[in-house]
Amino acid sequence: QVQLVESGGGSVQPGGSLRLSCAASGFPFSGYWMYWFRQAPGKGLEWVSSIRRDGSGSYYSDAVKGRFTISRDNALNRVYLQMNSLKPEDTARYYCARDAGVGGYECDYWGQGTQVTVFS
């Protein structure tokens, strides 16, 4: 069965860095776009970044552009999110997700998430 397992979250001070990892299994990983989303306390789900099947293109929300970098290793079935210059407003639970293939950032499988807390 499809599984997505995130790791790498934690607590950091503003300006710090974290690298999130998502291990995928149960499907042909290289055949799917992959996404990172986040949800802050009391707020809705927010798209953060996405990456093409072969890693040749990546896309970011305005809130994280220039600070976060998405990447993938199709040999290891992993997608990563390098987060630099973290801000308190980046505090959220971060989820990786698999593209559903129907457009519009719609995803059909999600991980359980990993918590990122940026504290002053």
Side-chain angles (χ1 to χ4, degrees):
Q1 71 279 22
V2 174
Q3 283 195 316
L4 299 169
V5 181
E6 302 94 335
S7 60
S11 297
V12 295
Q13 292 185 329
S17 297
L18 284 172
R19 188 191 193 209
L20 306 185
S21 178
C22 173
S25 61
F27 65 100
F29 181 73
S30 62
Y32 289 82
W33 284 55
M34 295 296 296
Y35 296 80
W36 286 98
F37 289 82
R38 67 185 182 185
Q39 187 165 27
K43 297 191 176 181
L45 198 63
E46 175 188 12
W47 169 74
V48 174
S49 183
S50 48
I51 189 166
R52 289 179 176 268
R53 297 176 187 88
D54 61 358
S56 62
S58 55
Y59 308 89
Y60 302 92
S61 69
D62 288 343
V64 308
K65 197 173 297 181
R67 300 186 298 121
F68 290 13
T69 303
I70 191 172
S71 62
R72 65 189 296 162
D73 186 330
N74 285 347
L76 295 179
N77 289 355
R78 286 184 176 263
V79 60
Y80 306 97
L81 187 68
Q82 177 66 45
M83 305 186 297
N84 297 330
S85 302
L86 283 161
K87 305 176 181 180
E89 52 263 44
D90 294 317
T91 294
R93 192 162 187 86
Y94 285 71
Y95 299 89
C96 76
R98 187 184 84 166
D99 181 59
V102 297
Y105 301 110
E106 188 163 339
C107 297
D108 55 2
Y109 286 94
W110 300 76
Q112 83 289 349
T114 187
Q115 180 66 36
V116 171
T117 302
V118 185
F119 61 94
S120 300

